[in-house]
Amino acid sequence: MRRRRRVLYVPQETAERKAGTVRHERLLSPSVAGRTNKEIRRAVLCCILAGLLLCALFGPVCGAGEGFLRSEPSLYATLQGTNEFSPGSDIRLDFVVENQGVDNDVLLGLEYTPFSINPTTALGTIAGLDAAGAPVSVHSEPYLIGDIPAGVSRSFTVYAHVDENASAGMYTLIVSTNYHYAAAQHMLPSGQWEYTYEEKTVSLDVPVRIKGEVKPEILSLRAENLNPGQIGSIIVSLKNVGYAKGTASAAELSGISGVFRLVDSGVYIGDLAPGAVTDVTFSAYVNDAVGAGTYPEEVVILYTDEYGEPQQSVSERIGIPVGEGASFAIVSGPIKIVPGETKAVRVTFRNTGDAPAYDARARIVPGKPLTAPVDTAILGDMAPNETKTADFTITLASGSLEVPYGLNAEIKYRDARDTLILSDQIVLQVDGTAGNPIRDALVNPVSLAVIAGIVLLAVYYLYAGRRKNR
């Protein structure tokens, strides 16, 4: 029978515990002790590798010589205020460029020397705007906005114009930035830092939205009865060539020429969808002091947009023709009349204007020494360049001078809108002339009385002489 040997470690362990020198490996089995040693070696190896990695990363900061800085600027651009604009508008764009760069070394708890330049600072930054295909014309040149340290922003303003025919939608404007930054550093033997700078150009996207709006385009224009001093109609056919629907829209005439005064302030249209065509009729009074010609005016559309906000479209300029209207002249010659004579005369009138006259009536307005027992005549409708004849009766008082006299004539008529109009007065020339003495004597009562007296005396003396001879 084989006897096992026992080794009693308790007293020794007890002694060592009392002495504070217990060696625990005595208490571990060989397999456990082997695993522990492997873990220790693995941990030591990881620490060595980590140390090498840290030295590789931070060697340029900790030691002399040349190294590269891993941090650099990171710029972002935003637009202050609204980013929605209307076609045809001049706009002001206020941009903010912010440097959101992060210094990696600072995050890791490292510090630069007091004389070092932070690599996240954008040095000498120049900013400008590029339309980049958007329907926008940029009027401002790029300019210097200065250094931008990390966490700091700089602002700049750009003036631009949105194309009148711009389509509605989202567009991207490009804020182009150019700057330098410290890309590498080198410590000189004197202990000073020497830097290597790199130039960088960064394009920053800024979204904008071109709003759809109502934009009128005049397809045709027709004028009716637009004559000085009269109320006429302006019929405009317009199309919405914009990209928005106008709700509860109305058309207005600007009145910039001072020639037209609208009878109504505007003409209601209603809903005006993109591409819709509608006819609008304006009633306007034409200044009576103007002559025939074409006068500029502007048509605008007032409407409510998709957000329920009142809007006014861009104006569309048009030329509105003003005619001469009906105008009259006397084309018959002067009238000759003897003082004391009452005479039936025929006067021919012509419509020399460019508009018809309806239900025309002529009237003469005599002044002393002329009178007119029959002073009115009906002419009827007179088209442009048409002539009509009127019959009157006039008298030149006896004893009047044998000189030319002026007899005023006027025509009352109705226009195309059935408005009663009185023409300007026309002068009819009447010439007082000497008559035939024999005829004048025969028609003159005094002369007739004298002649009768002479005849009676002659008869008396003739009768008396014959009687004496007997």
Side-chain angles (χ1 to χ4, degrees), residues 270-282:
D271 293 344
L272 190 61
V277 178
T278 185
D279 291 337
V280 178
T281 301
F282 299 99

Side-chain angles (χ1 to χ4, degrees), residues 99-110:
N99 186 354
Q100 298 182 2
V102 177
D103 189 346
N104 298 326
D105 293 333
V106 172
L107 290 178
L108 295 174
L110 300 177

Side-chain angles (χ1 to χ4, degrees), residues 280-330:
V280 178
T281 301
F282 299 99
S283 294
Y285 172 80
V286 183
N287 191 322
D288 58 1
V290 303
T294 301
Y295 298 90
E297 288 294 343
E298 292 180 349
V299 176
V300 296
I301 304 296
L302 306 179
Y303 64 97
T304 302
D305 64 13
E306 58 184 321
Y307 303 107
E309 296 294 330
Q311 301 290 343
Q312 177 175 310
S313 74
V314 295
S315 60
E316 180 77 354
R317 178 159 292 196
I318 56 176
I320 301 178
V322 173
E324 183 182 352
S327 182
F328 303 94
I330 296 175

Side-chain angles (χ1 to χ4, degrees), residues 223-416:
E224 292 182 354
N225 203 55
L226 283 180
N227 304 310
Q230 300 178 25
I231 295 177
S233 298
I234 305 167
I235 300 95
V236 176
S237 178
L238 59 85
K239 178 180 181 180
N240 179 10
V241 296
Y243 297 93
K245 175 184 177 182
T247 302
S249 57
E252 285 191 355
L253 202 64
S254 63
I256 59 174
S257 66
V259 174
F260 307 98
R261 186 178 73 243
L262 289 181
V263 176
D264 301 315
S265 59
V267 178
Y268 182 78
I269 299 175
D271 293 344
L272 190 61
V277 178
T278 185
D279 291 337
V280 178
T281 301
F282 299 99
S283 294
Y285 172 80
V286 183
N287 191 322
D288 58 1
V290 303
T294 301
Y295 298 90
E297 288 294 343
E298 292 180 349
V299 176
V300 296
I301 304 296
L302 306 179
Y303 64 97
T304 302
D305 64 13
E306 58 184 321
Y307 303 107
E309 296 294 330
Q311 301 290 343
Q312 177 175 310
S313 74
V314 295
S315 60
E316 180 77 354
R317 178 159 292 196
I318 56 176
I320 301 178
V322 173
E324 183 182 352
S327 182
F328 303 94
I330 296 175
V331 295
S332 55
I335 296 173
K336 297 184 180 300
I337 188 171
V338 176
E341 181 184 12
T342 297
K343 185 177 183 179
V345 296
R346 176 163 289 184
V347 181
T348 302
F349 296 91
R350 171 174 288 164
N351 181 0
T352 59
D354 55 9
Y358 300 98
D359 192 22
R361 297 170 180 266
R363 185 172 76 99
I364 56 176
V365 184
K368 290 183 179 181
L370 292 169
T371 57
V374 179
D375 60 355
T376 59
I378 297 176
L379 300 177
D381 298 342
M382 295 181 68
N385 206 38
E386 184 178 2
T387 58
K388 290 289 183 73
T389 300
D391 294 323
F392 305 101
T393 301
I394 61 174
T395 300
L396 179 60
S398 300
S400 301
L401 298 177
E402 298 173 358
V403 296
Y405 295 94
L407 184 64
N408 291 329
E410 59 189 17
I411 296 178
K412 186 182 294 185
Y413 65 98
R414 293 184 180 274
D415 63 11

Side-chain angles (χ1 to χ4, degrees), residues 159-219:
Y159 294 92
H161 177 79
V162 182
D163 185 12
E164 292 184 358
N165 299 315
S167 301
M170 295 299 300
Y171 296 90
T172 299
L173 300 178
I174 302 298
V175 174
S176 179
T177 59
N178 179 270
Y179 59 88
H180 293 77
Y181 70 100
Q185 62 183 357
H186 178 76
M187 181 176 285
L188 301 175
S190 62
Q192 296 180 336
W193 289 106
E194 182 181 58
Y195 293 91
T196 299
Y197 298 93
E198 286 190 4
E199 182 180 3
K200 192 170 185 179
T201 299
V202 179
S203 296
L204 310 175
D205 295 349
V206 179
V208 295
R209 179 176 178 265
I210 303 299
K211 297 190 294 184
E213 66 173 16
V214 173
K215 184 177 185 297
E217 178 181 295
I218 306 301
L219 302 180

Side-chain angles (χ1 to χ4, degrees), residues 6 10 28 50 81 131 137 148 173 216 222 229 234 256 295 316 353 362 372 383 387 389 399 404 415 428 443 466 468:
R6 287 180 160 182
V10 177
L28 299 176
S137 299
I148 311 179
L173 300 178
R222 187 174 77 257
I234 305 167
I256 59 174
Y295 298 90
E316 180 77 354
T387 58
T389 300
D415 63 11
L428 172 63
V443 298
R466 286 180 178 180
K468 184 177 180 180

